Amino acid sequence: MDENDLNSDDEIAIDDDCYYDFFIKGDDPMDSEDAKSREGSGQKYTILNQADIRKRQEDVIAAISTVLSVSGATATILLRHFNWSVGKVHEAWFADEDVVRKRVGLLNYEKQLSDVNAGDRATCGICFDVYPRYRIFSVGCGHPFCRECWGGYISSAINDGPGCLTLRCPDVSCSAAADRDIIDMLALSDDDKKKYSQYLLRSYVEESKQIKWCPGPDCEYAVEFDAGGGGDDSWDVSCRCSYSFCWNCLEDSHRPVDCQTVSSWLSKNTDESETKIWILARTKPCPRCQKSIEKNGGCMHMTCNPPCRYEFCWICLGDWYNHETCNRYNEAADVEADKNREDAEKHVTKYTHYFDRWAANHSSRQKAIAEMQRVQSVQIRKLIETQGKAEYELLFITDAWEQIIGCRQVLKWTYAYGYYLPENEHTKRRLFEFLQGEAETGLERLHECAELELNQFLVDYGSPLEGFKEFEVKLKGLTMVTRKYFEKLVRALENGLSEVQVSGTEEIGQNFPMASAEG
């Protein structure tokens, strides 16, 4: 079976050298324990687990500690203040060390308890109990506090959240920083120490401009992105947790639309203004109480809900009992009301068209993800038994499902693209709808084949069922053809449908097939 057997009578020409890593399945990029960026294959990001992040964090702390001849705890405070930027720390420190120390609360630790009354005992500044000197602690400012009060203060700050990373002396008038060494020494429990350590780790990612946490459910990986790493302009990332997202805006992967379009579309889906437009298009206000009323019957005699109960005519909104006829034409009032209602109805109809298809493809993708998991866990094993195949010989089935999932995601976002495509660019819209239609048709053929035609081979008849080879050839062919359709669609939309040139108000199509499907 060749590609023409799988297409409609028409054909789209696709450049064979087009590459989209979002659609083309490759080897597992993270098959080793340490994170690696696949720069050789065009990948511009590195997946980091918590051990990778902690090692990077400790490396920069050690580097600052060595260069500035300060403790690791002091280096941590400096890096935290300058958003973990080694360059900024160096620049500020060597410009004026005293200013930096004062700004971050680094005092001279040799002054510890220098202001405490002489003797073997001292008074805690919180509980005011007198303790032996060895049970009194300070962070360099000389303000004395006992171990128990320090522990409670630290525990309270840690339980309040990441703000504990900028913890200061318990004395309200003092700005001396409480560093990591103090936390490790005086925290009440190991759990508090672990929480503090985790806050510190997360700050390294959250204050970085190059690293972001994967937004996948319960995912603990981070992604470092090299925006200058070459390749295409895509921000798409596939995490080790199997979640794909846009690194720039942290929404789901949304090629071929840009982040601004995604933001506008998602805002529109939750915007109260859309509800108001629907109300304007489908309802009328009660003339007395102004509540919106939707007509649900055929008669024009309307009665508002209690307690209003005003009775009026649906057509002219006049009082029903003083109403004889409303067939006289009032041009000014009627034209304006009809135009407003017509515009609102057009807006609602257009939005509903694109939203319904966007949501349907989103739902279909979620079901495809669940189906692929079932294929991998149940159906592949069943096929090994019924068809006598090795597992590697059945990879074409999971390849097809991965193609379906990726294409559903792209198709979903092309409907947001179509919604914002200017109405006056008619030729671009025709090209867009042509490419989208071809891709959608191909995807439906592939999805149907993968979902329905496989079932006949899952039944154990005692021997392999004839026709499995033909099914394999068909599914592989549909997978390839669908990928090419979507590659062409993505390339066209990301290039702004550049095949169409605009000259003044007239659009000129370049080699655009209006009657046939040749690309």
Side-chain angles (χ1 to χ4, degrees):
M1 181 179 293
D2 60 19
E3 183 176 324
N4 293 327
D5 295 329
L6 304 169
N7 278 319
S8 60
D9 295 336
D10 299 322
E11 179 184 359
I12 287 186
I14 308 287
D15 292 338
D16 291 333
D17 59 354
C18 177
Y19 174 79
Y20 287 90
D21 58 357
F22 185 78
F23 300 110
I24 300 177
K25 179 181 181 294
D27 295 332
D28 183 2
M30 296 299 162
D31 56 359
S32 60
E33 294 183 0
D34 55 342
K36 297 178 181 178
S37 62
R38 293 185 301 159
E39 295 179 357
S41 62
Q43 183 167 301
K44 301 188 294 183
Y45 58 86
T46 303
I47 309 295
L48 304 171
N49 59 30
Q50 296 212 11
D52 299 323
I53 299 168
R54 195 171 298 282
K55 183 178 184 305
R56 291 189 176 204
Q57 186 179 50
E58 293 300 332
D59 286 346
V60 297
I61 290 172
I64 289 295
S65 177
T66 300
V67 173
L68 305 187
S69 298
V70 296
S71 68
T74 297
T76 302
I77 290 176
L78 290 169
L79 285 163
R80 274 273 301 113
H81 182 80
F82 291 99
N83 297 327
W84 296 96
S85 171
V86 173
K88 290 181 179 179
V89 172
H90 286 165
E91 182 181 355
W93 185 269
F94 292 117
D96 196 325
E97 177 183 338
D98 291 337
V99 169
V100 173
R101 281 185 173 275
K102 184 176 181 181
R103 188 187 307 170
V104 301
L106 292 176
L107 305 182
N108 185 352
Y109 277 73
E110 294 180 357
K111 291 175 58 179
Q112 187 165 349
L113 299 181
S114 60
D115 296 331
V116 181
N117 294 333
D120 295 332
R121 304 176 68 81
T123 301
C124 172
I126 293 178
C127 66
F128 300 108
D129 287 340
V130 179
Y131 292 92
R133 270 299 189 91
Y134 68 86
R135 292 187 60 184
I136 292 292
F137 300 89
S138 171
V139 291
C141 53
H143 296 124
F145 302 98
C146 68
R147 175 181 288 273
E148 289 74 15
C149 289
W150 260 114
Y153 176 68
I154 291 171
S155 179
S156 176
I158 290 175
N159 289 330
D160 284 344
C164 64
L165 298 177
T166 56
L167 196 63
R168 302 286 176 155
C169 170
D171 189 299
V172 294
S173 65
C174 183
S175 61
D179 61 30
R180 189 169 59 172
D181 288 345
I182 287 288
I183 304 297
D184 290 340
M185 179 171 59
L186 300 178
L188 292 177
S189 65
D190 290 339
D191 186 52
D192 284 343
K193 295 177 184 179
K194 289 179 181 178
K195 285 183 180 179
Y196 183 87
S197 179
Q198 193 64 20
Y199 287 141
L200 191 63
L201 180 75
R202 295 191 67 86
S203 76
Y204 180 78
V205 173
E206 292 162 5
E207 294 172 14
S208 170
K209 294 182 179 180
Q210 287 79 39
I211 307 175
K212 294 180 181 179
W213 293 109
C214 170
D218 301 320
C219 181
E220 296 183 350
Y221 292 109
V223 181
E224 181 181 45
F225 200 92
D226 178 14
D232 57 36
D233 295 329
S234 172
W235 294 96
D236 283 355
V237 167
S238 294
C239 183
R240 289 194 213 177
C241 69
S242 300
Y243 186 77
S244 296
F245 64 98
C246 170
W247 190 89
N248 188 45
C249 67
L250 296 181
E251 296 290 350
D252 285 353
S253 296
H254 51 71
R255 294 182 74 183
V257 301
D258 57 33
C259 298
Q260 181 57 50
T261 300
V262 171
S263 177
S264 299
W265 176 254
L266 295 179
S267 296
K268 176 174 285 294
N269 293 345
T270 57
D271 192 353
E272 185 181 355
S273 64
E274 296 303 312
T275 304
K276 291 179 180 178
I277 291 174
W278 188 94
I279 291 173
L280 176 61
R282 301 285 193 269
T283 70
K284 291 184 179 181
C286 168
R288 174 181 290 174
C289 69
Q290 301 302 312
K291 287 183 179 179
S292 296
I293 297 176
E294 182 182 13
K295 189 173 183 293
N296 59 6
C299 176
M300 300 302 171
H301 182 182
M302 306 298 295
T303 302
C304 187
N305 290 329
C308 177
R309 293 192 175 278
Y310 182 69
E311 299 180 51
F312 61 95
C313 172
W314 175 258
I315 299 296
C316 67
L317 302 181
D319 181 86
W320 184 257
Y321 293 104
N322 295 322
H323 174 271
E324 295 182 359
T325 179
C326 56
N327 63 324
R328 293 184 178 180
Y329 179 57
N330 184 336
E331 181 175 3
D334 287 355
V335 168
E336 182 178 359
D338 289 345
K339 183 178 185 304
N340 290 339
R341 189 167 291 106
E342 182 181 351
D343 289 344
E345 288 179 352
K346 285 182 178 179
H347 182 96
V348 170
T349 301
K350 176 184 176 182
Y351 173 72
T352 301
H353 171 87
Y354 287 102
F355 177 80
D356 285 350
R357 287 155 180 78
W358 179 87
N361 278 284
H362 175 77
S363 175
S364 181
R365 179 178 182 270
Q366 297 305 110
K367 292 177 181 178
I369 292 173
E371 182 65 19
M372 188 177 78
Q373 293 172 347
R374 190 171 73 90
V375 167
Q376 292 173 322
S377 62
V378 178
Q379 294 185 353
I380 294 296
R381 293 181 181 180
K382 192 69 175 177
L383 288 170
I384 292 174
E385 297 174 3
T386 61
Q387 302 301 316
K389 298 288 186 180
E391 186 172 354
Y392 73 88
E393 294 180 287
L394 301 172
L395 291 177
F396 72 94
I397 299 175
T398 53
D399 288 347
W401 279 104
E402 288 177 353
Q403 187 71 60
I404 291 168
I405 292 168
C407 290
R408 285 291 177 198
Q409 183 80 344
V410 170
L411 186 59
K412 159 186 160 181
W413 285 111
T414 61
Y415 281 104
Y417 183 99
Y419 179 82
Y420 289 106
L421 192 61
E423 293 289 346
N424 61 340
E425 296 184 359
H426 304 294
T427 308
K428 279 191 175 183
R429 180 167 293 278
R430 292 171 68 192
L431 173 59
F432 161 71
E433 290 175 349
F434 167 78
L435 294 173
Q436 185 192 49
E438 287 292 321
E440 187 164 20
T441 301
L443 175 57
E444 295 303 335
R445 290 200 302 265
L446 171 62
H447 202 156
E448 182 178 9
C449 180
E451 190 171 43
L452 302 180
E453 296 186 27
L454 176 63
N455 292 333
Q456 60 184 309
F457 302 105
L458 298 174
V459 181
D460 190 355
Y461 294 102
S463 61
L465 189 66
E466 292 184 3
F468 187 78
K469 183 61 180 178
E470 288 75 10
F471 166 75
E472 178 182 350
V473 172
K474 181 178 181 180
L475 189 61
K476 285 182 176 179
L478 285 172
T479 301
M480 177 190 66
V481 171
T482 302
R483 182 179 70 245
K484 289 187 175 182
Y485 278 138
F486 274 84
E487 285 174 352
K488 184 170 185 179
L489 174 63
V490 168
R491 183 173 64 248
L493 299 192
E494 290 187 335
N495 290 336
L497 297 171
S498 58
E499 294 180 25
V500 177
Q501 291 183 339
V502 181
S503 176
T505 59
E506 180 181 3
E507 294 175 294
I508 305 172
Q510 290 187 332
N511 302 320
F512 170 45
M514 303 310 295
S516 70
E518 294 182 357

